[in-house]
Every structure is written in structure tokens, then in C-alpha cells.
């Protein structure tokens, strides 16, 4: 069975929990991504920061992105997948938590990201259809 390690995009970069949201937005722009894992000073994942979070929770709320810290937007425990977890586990996790991107960890180390598009390329159409349907419903 296909594992997360086989379909992930390697070399995921974090935004530090004490970095500003403005710095995070610049990093997203430079990397051409719409989400970044938030890493703590202990090098553990604290959550995910998306471009939508920046627009809705910072700009839309009238906050200053230069003074708002990325860690302020981390909500609860980060949803992750293990590098050696199989595709069915990836689907279950994405569906259960209604997330389109999953940080891939090996032990406690971030080793990559699995996005909805990675899953779509790697798995049979019926399973991908089930995932898309689950992510599209409220």
C-alpha cells in the first residue's frame, strides 16, 4: 500500500510560533504555498497557518499582521500523519478532520506535507471522490 512518505512533498518549511504573521505571509509568497506548519521553539508542531487564516483571523479582524504572532493562530493539537502510515490512514485523517493538507512526521520531525492533490494523484478515483465529497461538506 502507498505510504505518506511515497506521496508527500519533501522539505516542508515551518513558520516559527514567535514569527509575525506578516513574515509568514512573505514566506508563503516566496515558497508559493497556501499553508505552513507552525513550529514551536521546542521544534514540535503547534498547528497550521493558512492564507485563509491570515485573511479572516488577522486582516478581517483588524489585527496588525506585523505584530500578530503565528503561534496565536495555532488551534489545539496539530493534525499530522506518520511518514509510514498508509493511504487509507491518510484518507481517514483528512476526512475525519476535514483538512486538505497534512504535515508528515517521522518521530517528532517534520519531513514533508501531503496535500489533497498528492492524494488525488496517488490513489484510485473512487477513494479520491470520497475524500473530495467529505471535504466539500460542512
Amino acid at each position: 500500500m502507498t505510504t505518506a512518505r511515497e506521496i508527500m512533498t519533501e522539505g516542508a518549511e515551518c513558520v516559527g510560533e514567535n514569527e509575525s504573521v506578516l513574515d509568514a505571509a512573505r514566506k508563503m509568497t516566496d515558497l508559493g504555498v497556501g499553508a505552513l506548519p507552525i513550529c514551536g521553539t521546542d521544534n514540535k508542531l503547534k498547528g497550521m497557518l493558512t492564507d485563509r487564516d491570515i485573511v479572516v483571523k488577522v486582516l478581517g479582524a483588524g489585527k496588525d499582521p506585523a505584530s500578530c504572532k503565528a503561534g496565536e493562530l495555532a488551534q489545539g493539537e496539530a493534525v499530522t500523519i506518520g511518514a509510514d502510515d498508509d493511504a487509507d490512514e491518510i484518507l481517514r485523517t483528512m476526512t475525519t478532520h476535514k483538512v486538505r493538507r497534512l504535515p508528515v512526521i517521522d518521530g517528532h520531525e517534520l519531513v514533508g506535507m501531503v496535500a489533497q492533490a498528492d492524494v488525488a494523484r496517488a490513489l484510485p478515483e473512487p477513494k479520491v471522490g470520497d475524500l473530495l465529497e467529505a471535504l466539500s461538506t460542512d
Side-chain angles (χ1 to χ4, degrees):
M1 170 73 49
T2 303
T3 66
R5 189 183 309 276
E6 294 170 314
I7 66 171
M8 72 182 188
T9 300
E10 292 184 56
E13 289 194 33
C14 284
V15 60
E17 67 182 333
N18 293 318
E19 288 184 66
S20 75
V21 170
L22 181 59
D23 289 338
R26 287 183 179 138
K27 188 178 274 193
M28 284 181 188
T29 300
D30 291 345
L31 296 171
V33 298
L36 289 170
I38 301 169
C39 292
T41 55
D42 58 1
N43 219 24
K44 290 187 180 178
L45 255 69
K46 302 298 181 187
M48 289 288 292
L49 178 65
T50 66
D51 47 9
R52 187 175 193 286
D53 291 333
I54 293 170
V55 170
V56 173
K57 297 175 181 174
V58 179
L59 300 176
K63 295 180 181 177
D64 176 12
S67 62
C68 183
K69 302 296 180 203
E72 294 173 34
L73 301 179
Q75 297 178 353
E77 189 174 329
V79 177
T80 63
I81 193 80
D84 297 317
D85 287 346
D86 67 27
D88 286 335
E89 183 63 25
I90 296 167
L91 286 171
R92 261 192 306 280
T93 303
M94 285 183 154
T95 302
T96 300
H97 296 281
K98 294 193 178 259
V99 295
R100 290 174 168 77
R101 300 170 194 94
L102 282 174
V104 180
I105 58 170
D106 191 356
H108 289 290
E109 181 183 348
L110 177 69
V111 294
M113 293 285 289
V114 171
Q116 180 178 337
D118 299 320
V119 174
R121 283 189 293 272
L123 299 178
E125 284 186 33
K127 289 188 175 195
V128 173
D130 293 343
L131 174 63
L132 293 175
E133 182 179 343
L135 294 178
S136 298
T137 59
D138 288 336

